[in-house]
Amino acid sequence: MTDLAAKSPSELDQLPDRDTEETAEWAASLDAVTKAAGPHRAAYLMRRTLQHAEGAGLALPKLLETDYVNTIPTSAEPSIDGDEEMERRITAWNRWNAAAMVTRGAKHGVGGHIATFASAAWLYETGFNHFFRGKEGDGSGDQLYIQGHASPGIYARAFLDGRLTEQHLDNFRQEAGGNGLPSYPHPRRLPWLWEFPTVSMGLGPLSAIYQARFNRYLTNRNIKDVSNSHVWAFLGDGEMDEPEATAALGLAAREGLDNLTFVINCNLQRLDGPVRANFKIVQELEGQFRGAGWNVVKSMWGNAWDELFQLDTTGALVRRLREVPDAQVQTYQTRDAAYIREDFFGKDPALVAMAQLLTDDKILECFHLSRGGHEPRKVYAAYKAALEHKGAPTVILAQTVKGFTLGEGFASKNANHQMKKLSVDEFKNMRDLLELPISDSQFVDGVVPYGHPGADAPEVRYLQERRAALGGPAPARRSQPLAPLPAPADKAFAAFDKGSGSQSMATTMAFVRLVKDLIRDKETGKRWVPIVPDEARTFGMESLFPSLGIYSPKGQTYEPVDRDQLMYYREATNGQILNEGITEAGSMADFIAASSAYSTHGEAMIPFYIFYSMFGWQRTADQMWQLGDQLGRGFLVGATAGRTTLTGEGLQHADGHSPMIAATNPAALSYDPAFAYEIATIVKEGLRRMYGEALPDEDRDVFYYLTVYNEPMPQPAKPAGIDEGIIKGLYRFNTAESAGHTTPANASRIQLLGSGTAIHWTLKAQKMLAEEWGVAADVWSATSWTELRRDALEADAALLRGEERIPFVRKALEGVDSPVLAVSDYMRQVPDQIAQWVEQDYSSLGADGFGLSDTRDAARRHFGVDAESIVVAALAQLARRGAVPVTAVKEARERYGL
């Protein structure tokens, strides 16, 4: 007997045992069962005891893994409220058309994926027929995150219900003509159908969690009651390897998001082979989700397995299912009954005896066909259980066969992800298996036909009636224009027009002050959604804590340590700030949900997400691409921007390239403002464009990226008549004369273009050039190198169409007869975006290379962008034109120690 009472506390538990005799009796009972019935029976009793304790409400650690069987036994499955035979026929048509669409497209070399939807068909069809709420009923309906590779099946269903035509299907992955279907769920490409981009993989699950969380946020803040909306995320088991896929599991459980269900299609395969060849991905995922606090429902085996489990009186079958690795399960799918008898059943005498009671057909039915994810009753039971579970999100682990119903050439083959077509004979076999009324004569010249029972067929009527009862078509995106939001009062923006006088202010603080005033607006203030990744105090936002509150579904269950201070840490169920902790990915997912609420929920929200600029585009650019695809609107704010302004932090914090990455995103309007009034002007224009006057969607479906700095500097007053230049990207801030610098009448002249914080070094260089070298310099503020480039590219395209159009940068510099020197706190590639459209002699300075830890002045000298370096570069440019002596350049270098 194992004497648990004799063990020392350090070996077992730090808690004292108040009744060692009772503990010993429990241990003796366990030993007795082990001896009499075997260790597997003892383990079974222990698991059932723990499950019973959990159900009784005892505070015990969670049981992280259960047997490799269904969570819901057949005897407990609810009946389906519908016509199962009709739904089987509907699913058969959709399976056929999904495969036909990809096969026909393969003739054009455009690719596509067949096997994923083949495995997941019932996971979708059961939801569409019974669970997924549409947008034409009460509320906002459900939000569906469709697995990208399953898109052909979704198109096939839209074809069956009349939303797509054969022409659409024939243009799958052929969009250039304007009547095609995108490869995956891309709202920007098909905005009436798709709501949420789910490719790249891993972004779907992360976004789904934050969408469910944002739904609660909207409800708790009394913006809109969306408590009836449920978020469904369809994922692949291989996809769960992506770090983003599981990054927010704890958040979902912590906040009790029972409005969220993950459906993981466990076909045991990823793109090149098994997900966990030597292990079991379902068991791994179960432990991962249970450990994070999720409710787990496993749907592993179909009804054919019931007979086998009834014969398993010793537990040998369950044991064998737990120990067989995934790759071997995949192999069974492709082998005959004799192989399965020997390899699976032959390992245990009890299983050998069981196999003798089974026919070959029964074995093949179980191992080739019968999976929980392929039987609508089991999927229905799992979905119903998920919706009825309260207090935690649910994950459904549904086992399927990749390539199911596509024939022996596809099912469970490692290469099936790359297999793009079926032969005519394979289609005919599939037709017979699915019992579809498609004749051989319909295969004309070897082309597989699409199948449709007719617009008035019972299948179509049934499908449409089911969707009508659930609130309309799904998936579907609301794209109707909303009423413009009223513009905030000009007072908030005009507050920066006079400048800061002798007081210095960082542009980060200017932005925060502006938003603080805008949030007070009676009409639109509540629609602002401040998002920050645990750096609010860095950005001077702590003053918003008491007034706006930090969102928490639990409110504030403690007394904050700084409660007696003016800017104390206040959490509230209706808090407005989303303070996400140290997760840029989570913050971006928040931003995406808020930025598209105008479509998802018919509520225009104004998110701004402020972050270390280095940890934005560099870290989460994939999500920013997703944001553009989802047609999101709002303000991304890269704070502590630039390569030299964040003193002491060093290489990993020094951003010298985020505007360059932002320039690659067509939906991102990227600005590098130098002054507070520029920020106010840009934000005012952004609110007008995205939320104000009714513009075409293609003009409104953008987001803004502003870089702001933590270096306090004097903020000048706003010159008159420069709004267009601020928005377009360039205006003349001053001339040497208007700045009060005296130069000779015949002085050489140069144009200095600066952006962001570099404007201040440029202004210092302007003064030095005048006072020390007799050179007149005009200073221009380049608020957006990227917008200047895009305007110029559009002008070039217009010329090719025969339209006369001059780029704005060329018009702005028109009449200037002097060289241009551009300066920024970013790599030279950023200002060089406009070089080819500047007719004057053009050169640039920038902070190329890795950042380093030092003072601002030392860093700027290191990168050659400080005022002295600008002076030398300006003199060198003028010397090349013969406008100043060549010796001046050498003299300046020596004077400034360069």
Side-chain angles (χ1 to χ4, degrees), residues 56-73:
L58 296 181
L60 292 174
K62 295 287 185 181
L63 184 65
L64 295 186
E65 187 179 312
T66 61
D67 284 323
Y68 203 68
V69 297
N70 297 345
T71 302
I72 304 170

Side-chain angles (χ1 to χ4, degrees), residues 319-335:
R319 290 197 302 273
R320 183 66 178 137
L321 289 174
R322 284 178 61 107
E323 68 188 22
V324 175
D326 283 352
Q328 193 63 21
V329 174
Q330 181 185 350
T331 297
Y332 294 149
Q333 177 69 34
T334 65
R335 298 301 180 90

Side-chain angles (χ1 to χ4, degrees), residues 68-358:
Y68 203 68
V69 297
N70 297 345
T71 302
I72 304 170
T74 301
S75 59
E77 290 171 4
S79 59
I80 294 180
D81 180 22
D83 187 332
E84 294 185 55
E85 174 56 25
M86 187 68 73
E87 293 176 18
R88 185 196 66 78
R89 300 208 305 264
I90 290 171
T91 304
W93 285 116
N94 292 339
R95 286 182 180 278
W96 177 272
N97 287 322
M101 178 194 332
V102 177
T103 298
R104 288 167 68 127
K107 293 188 175 182
H108 302 285
V110 295
H113 302 287
I114 304 177
T116 294
F117 179 73
S119 67
W122 278 115
L123 302 181
Y124 291 104
E125 293 297 324
T126 303
F128 285 129
N129 288 328
H130 299 282
F131 294 96
F132 303 157
R133 298 173 67 251
K135 297 180 177 299
E136 295 174 3
D138 295 335
S140 303
D142 290 350
Q143 287 81 57
L144 308 180
Y145 287 77
I146 305 294
Q147 190 179 2
H149 292 145
S151 61
I154 308 304
Y155 291 140
R157 192 170 220 273
F159 169 64
L160 196 65
D161 72 11
R163 293 197 291 166
L164 292 176
T165 65
E166 285 194 16
Q167 183 185 12
H168 286 119
L169 300 193
D170 264 347
N171 285 328
F172 175 58
R173 291 193 170 200
Q174 298 174 76
E175 299 180 78
N179 199 31
L181 299 178
S183 55
Y184 302 126
H186 294 305
R188 187 168 285 274
R189 292 301 182 207
L190 200 62
W192 60 268
L193 180 74
W194 298 119
E195 276 196 283
F196 307 108
T198 51
V199 178
S200 303
M201 287 188 286
L203 299 187
L206 179 66
S207 291
I209 289 174
Y210 280 88
Q211 181 65 58
R213 196 282 196 89
F214 191 74
N215 290 356
R216 291 280 174 85
Y217 173 89
L218 287 177
T219 300
N220 288 340
R221 287 198 55 220
N222 296 315
I223 301 293
K224 182 177 182 178
D225 185 356
V226 295
S227 54
N228 287 331
S229 289
H230 198 85
V231 177
W232 300 83
F234 289 84
L235 317 167
D237 47 0
E239 179 179 7
M240 301 310 294
D241 283 349
E242 292 283 5
E244 298 91 346
T246 56
L249 298 186
L251 168 73
R254 190 166 62 245
E255 298 202 359
L257 297 181
D258 50 23
N259 61 339
L260 170 68
T261 298
F262 276 15
V263 181
I264 303 182
N265 177 18
C266 297
N267 56 36
L268 312 185
Q269 289 182 253
R270 50 188 175 202
L271 308 188
D272 287 327
V275 179
R276 292 289 184 273
N278 294 303
F279 306 93
K280 302 190 81 64
I281 184 60
V282 171
Q283 301 299 89
E284 179 182 322
L285 291 174
E286 179 183 25
Q288 195 169 14
F289 278 87
R290 283 190 187 278
W294 286 54
N295 175 47
V296 179
V297 177
K298 292 159 74 173
S299 184
M300 308 300 299
W301 308 109
N303 287 334
W305 283 82
D306 288 351
E307 180 182 343
L308 276 67
F309 289 125
Q310 289 170 3
L311 294 172
D312 186 28
T313 58
T314 66
L317 176 63
V318 173
R319 290 197 302 273
R320 183 66 178 137
L321 289 174
R322 284 178 61 107
E323 68 188 22
V324 175
D326 283 352
Q328 193 63 21
V329 174
Q330 181 185 350
T331 297
Y332 294 149
Q333 177 69 34
T334 65
R335 298 301 180 90
D336 60 19
Y339 178 89
I340 298 171
R341 284 181 185 277
E342 178 181 353
D343 191 86
F344 181 84
F345 292 98
K347 305 297 183 182
D348 187 300
L351 293 180
V352 172
M354 179 188 295
Q356 291 173 352
L357 303 175
L358 305 174

Side-chain angles (χ1 to χ4, degrees), residues 411-453:
S412 280
K413 294 298 175 64
N414 281 338
N416 61 21
H417 184 78
Q418 303 301 325
M419 297 161 69
K420 311 300 183 186
K421 59 185 178 180
L422 297 174
S423 68
V424 169
D425 287 340
E426 287 172 323
F427 265 110
K428 290 179 179 178
N429 291 334
M430 182 182 178
R431 171 200 62 190
D432 297 340
L433 175 65
L434 299 176
E435 300 177 348
L436 289 172
I438 298 173
S439 65
D440 287 355
S441 63
Q442 291 177 259
F443 291 82
V444 179
D445 296 328
V447 177
V448 58
Y450 294 120
H452 200 294

Side-chain angles (χ1 to χ4, degrees), residues 537 542 545 556 558-570:
R537 298 181 191 278
E542 65 270 24
F545 290 169
Q556 194 152 39
Y558 59 92
E559 182 178 356
V561 67
D562 54 359
R563 181 64 180 85
D564 57 343
Q565 298 179 15
L566 181 62
M567 292 181 286
Y568 69 96
Y569 195 87
R570 184 175 76 88

Side-chain angles (χ1 to χ4, degrees), residues 15 110 155 183 272 300 322 365 539 684 708 736 777 826 896:
L15 295 176
V110 295
Y155 291 140
S183 55
D272 287 327
M300 308 300 299
R322 284 178 61 107
E365 180 187 13
F539 308 137
K684 182 178 180 180
V708 294
Y826 297 94
Y896 303 135

Side-chain angles (χ1 to χ4, degrees), residues 452-575:
H452 200 294
D456 294 325
E459 296 94 328
V460 176
R461 290 200 304 271
Y462 180 88
L463 183 156
Q464 293 173 342
E465 288 168 1
R466 296 302 301 178
R467 288 311 316 159
L470 288 165
R477 179 180 181 273
R478 283 185 175 140
S479 56
Q480 66 267 28
L482 296 176
L485 292 181
D490 278 340
K491 181 180 179 181
F493 305 105
F496 299 95
D497 289 355
K498 294 182 180 179
S500 63
S502 60
Q503 181 183 9
S504 293
M505 177 171 58
T507 51
T508 297
M509 185 54 64
F511 177 82
V512 171
R513 286 187 185 180
L514 172 63
V515 172
K516 188 175 180 180
D517 288 340
L518 293 173
I519 289 176
R520 293 194 183 105
D521 185 86
K522 292 181 180 180
E523 295 289 337
T524 60
K526 68 179 182 179
R527 298 191 176 275
W528 284 87
V529 184
I531 303 168
V532 59
D534 202 35
E535 288 280 4
R537 298 181 191 278
T538 299
F539 308 137
M541 292 174 59
E542 65 270 24
S543 61
L544 301 178
F545 290 169
S547 57
L548 301 184
I550 299 165
Y551 173 74
S552 171
K554 290 184 176 293
Q556 194 152 39
T557 61
Y558 59 92
E559 182 178 356
V561 67
D562 54 359
R563 181 64 180 85
D564 57 343
Q565 298 179 15
L566 181 62
M567 292 181 286
Y568 69 96
Y569 195 87
R570 184 175 76 88
E571 296 186 82
T573 55
N574 64 346

